[in-house]
Amino acid sequence: MQTLEVGILGATGMVGQHFIKFLQGHPWFKLTWLGASDRSAGKVYRDAMTWHLAGGLPDSVADLMVEDSKPGNAPKLLFSAMDAAVATDIERAFAQAGHVVVSNSRNHRMEQDVPLLVPEINPDHLKLVPGQQRARGWKGQIVTNPNCSTIVLTMGLGPLKQFGITRIVTTTMQAISGAGYPGVPSMDIVGNVIPFIGGEEEKMQQETQKILGEFQGDHIEPLAAKVSAHCNRVPVVDGHTVTVSVEFSSKPTESDVRHAFDVFTALPQQRGLPSAPPRPVIYLEEANRPQPRKDADRDRGMAACVGRLRACPVLDYKFVALGHNTVRGAAGAAVLNAELMRSEGMLDR
Ligand code: NAP
């Protein structure tokens, strides 16, 4: 397949750096354009930011010039890691100008005509795009990926949707890397738990209903299940853990639920997309797994791990799920979205 040039909006930020790292050596996408604010524009990348990730700044981007975030000479496909305070207007301007904006920012996720995509769970939600382009008069488009804790929950629930999910209660233990850089002050988080992350519980509740909802022509009919989320920041570096209690209308047996986890595979695996993990959901047998330090990096951080499936005395079943928040919850999620879109022919039109 011919290599496609791609760019990053918000390239100097924390998520922008994760995009740069994840795209190194990508077989389909070649990173040639970096955008940020006018504070960074006109500088070479190495002078425009401080590199925070392990492994050092890749040579291939160190001397690229950072551009202003205005449509002009950017490639058609852009990954967005823009500050949410400015992402709405800038992403729209690029979509209007014909760019395909694959965004990690929260700004457009809940808009009726914007796909909130998890390629293994709801690839058909991409059917919203033609209506988005018609209604907004855009030649381009915006497609989003979920919040970093929502994606872990929905990958755990995706294999179980077939049983008719009616109620979900979930509690997160979220890593500090999810708060960006410099993130949470060390005096607040070392040896401590912070039982509040602004806006996170609402995002988990609403995004989960949309992701597990049904495409209905011009919108997504949200899953009718009630979702209650408790979100906590814990002193873990990478990997969000979520505990899940879930109720089903069809009352499956425990072995039905376990079988559903074990056999789960989806379109990205069938199509062999470059960033698709061989098994999107890995069930771990050990009673004390998954654990962030041991399991978050599985399959380059693209697989979700689940475990501890058991009966729930309040709802029907409970289990634990884990995913890498800056990979499957951010850069890797958006890159997989773009791979799915390319495999659908959406980047060639
Ligand atoms: P960040 O480190 O503050 O980076 C923000 C980026 O936006 C920088 O590249 C910055 O460029 C750019 N920017 C700021 N103002 C701009 C403007 N007026 N015009 C153009 N570019 C502008 O933020 P982050 O932690 O990477 O988060 C980025 C987005 O991803 C946010 O929407 C956040 O909610 C979301 N997110 C973050 C995480 C995470 O783990 N951190 C996880 C999931 C989602 P300059 O360097 O030039 O200022």
Side-chain angles (χ1 to χ4, degrees):
M1 192 178 276
Q2 204 186 348
T3 307
L4 206 63
E5 293 197 6
V6 304
I8 300 172
L9 289 162
T12 50
M14 217 33 213
V15 176
Q17 296 183 19
H18 282 288
F19 271 115
I20 288 172
K21 190 172 176 185
F22 195 82
L23 285 166
Q24 291 305 297
H26 194 283
W28 295 0
F29 301 143
K30 181 173 167 32
L31 182 57
T32 58
W33 188 92
L34 304 173
S37 77
D38 53 14
R39 296 178 288 276
S40 308
K43 298 179 184 164
V44 289
Y45 189 69
R46 75 165 85 242
D47 296 335
M49 53 86 236
T50 303
W51 185 258
H52 295 296
L53 305 185
L57 172 61
D59 290 340
S60 58
V61 294
D63 295 317
L64 274 185
M65 190 65 77
V66 178
E67 309 270 344
D68 218 351
S69 295
K70 294 198 178 77
N73 63 349
K76 180 172 177 179
L77 174 58
L78 291 171
F79 295 103
S80 173
M82 304 219 47
D83 190 329
V86 297
T88 303
D89 290 345
I90 295 176
E91 291 182 354
R92 286 180 187 177
F94 276 92
Q96 168 97 49
H99 293 272
V100 175
V101 180
V102 180
S103 177
N104 181 59
S105 297
R106 66 168 183 267
N107 304 53
H108 293 98
R109 286 181 193 149
M110 291 308 297
E111 290 186 10
Q112 182 162 296
D113 55 359
V114 174
L116 178 55
L117 198 63
V118 182
E120 284 92 347
I121 311 292
N122 61 358
D124 60 318
H125 290 198
L126 280 176
K127 291 182 197 155
L128 287 173
V129 167
Q132 179 194 110
Q133 292 177 310
R134 265 196 311 276
R136 301 189 190 224
W138 287 350
K139 292 195 290 291
Q141 58 197 266
I142 297 177
V143 170
T144 61
N145 62 260
N147 166 273
C148 47
S149 45
T150 308
I151 198 156
V152 182
L153 176 65
T154 52
M155 285 189 72
L157 289 172
L160 314 182
K161 193 182 162 191
Q162 58 185 303
F163 302 124
I165 298 170
T166 48
R167 287 196 290 174
I168 303 159
V169 179
T170 183
T171 298
T172 69
M173 288 156 271
Q174 298 182 221
I176 51 175
S177 58
Y181 190 89
V184 189
S186 57
M187 284 295 285
D188 287 341
I189 195 69
V190 175
N192 200 18
V193 169
I194 302 171
F196 175 70
I197 303 173
E200 198 81 353
E201 294 177 350
E202 294 79 2
K203 277 188 242 170
M204 270 192 99
Q205 291 164 183
Q206 292 161 4
E207 292 182 15
T208 297
Q209 291 168 329
K210 179 170 177 179
I211 293 162
L212 297 176
E214 300 295 334
F215 172 72
Q216 299 284 356
D218 60 353
H219 72 285
I220 304 300
E221 193 60 37
L223 184 76
K226 287 188 171 163
V227 187
S228 174
H230 307 253
C231 293
N232 305 285
R233 187 77 66 194
V234 298
V236 162
V237 177
D238 288 318
H240 287 354
T241 305
V242 305
T243 60
V244 187
S245 287
V246 57
E247 180 188 69
F248 300 110
S249 56
S250 74
K251 301 301 168 201
T253 64
E254 188 171 326
S255 71
D256 291 338
V257 176
R258 174 59 200 273
H259 182 70
F261 282 135
D262 285 341
V263 300
F264 184 65
T265 184
L267 205 51
Q269 286 69 38
Q270 288 149 23
R271 290 193 181 164
L273 301 183
S275 302
R279 287 166 59 206
V281 178
I282 301 171
Y283 191 92
L284 301 178
E285 298 284 352
E286 298 91 331
N288 62 357
R289 302 283 276 277
Q291 295 178 16
R293 197 187 299 156
K294 293 177 179 168
D295 301 311
D297 281 334
R298 280 175 185 255
D299 293 321
R300 290 182 73 210
M302 289 300 286
C305 292
V306 296
R308 300 214 61 221
L309 175 66
R310 60 219 190 274
C312 173
V314 179
L315 302 183
D316 289 327
Y317 294 99
K318 50 187 175 177
F319 62 93
V320 184
L322 166 77
H324 197 301
N325 53 295
T326 62
V327 180
R328 191 65 210 227
V335 173
L336 187 61
N337 283 354
E339 291 170 3
L340 176 68
M341 293 165 76
R342 190 169 201 198
S343 77
E344 293 280 319
M346 294 172 71
L347 304 185
D348 305 321
R349 281 169 220 147

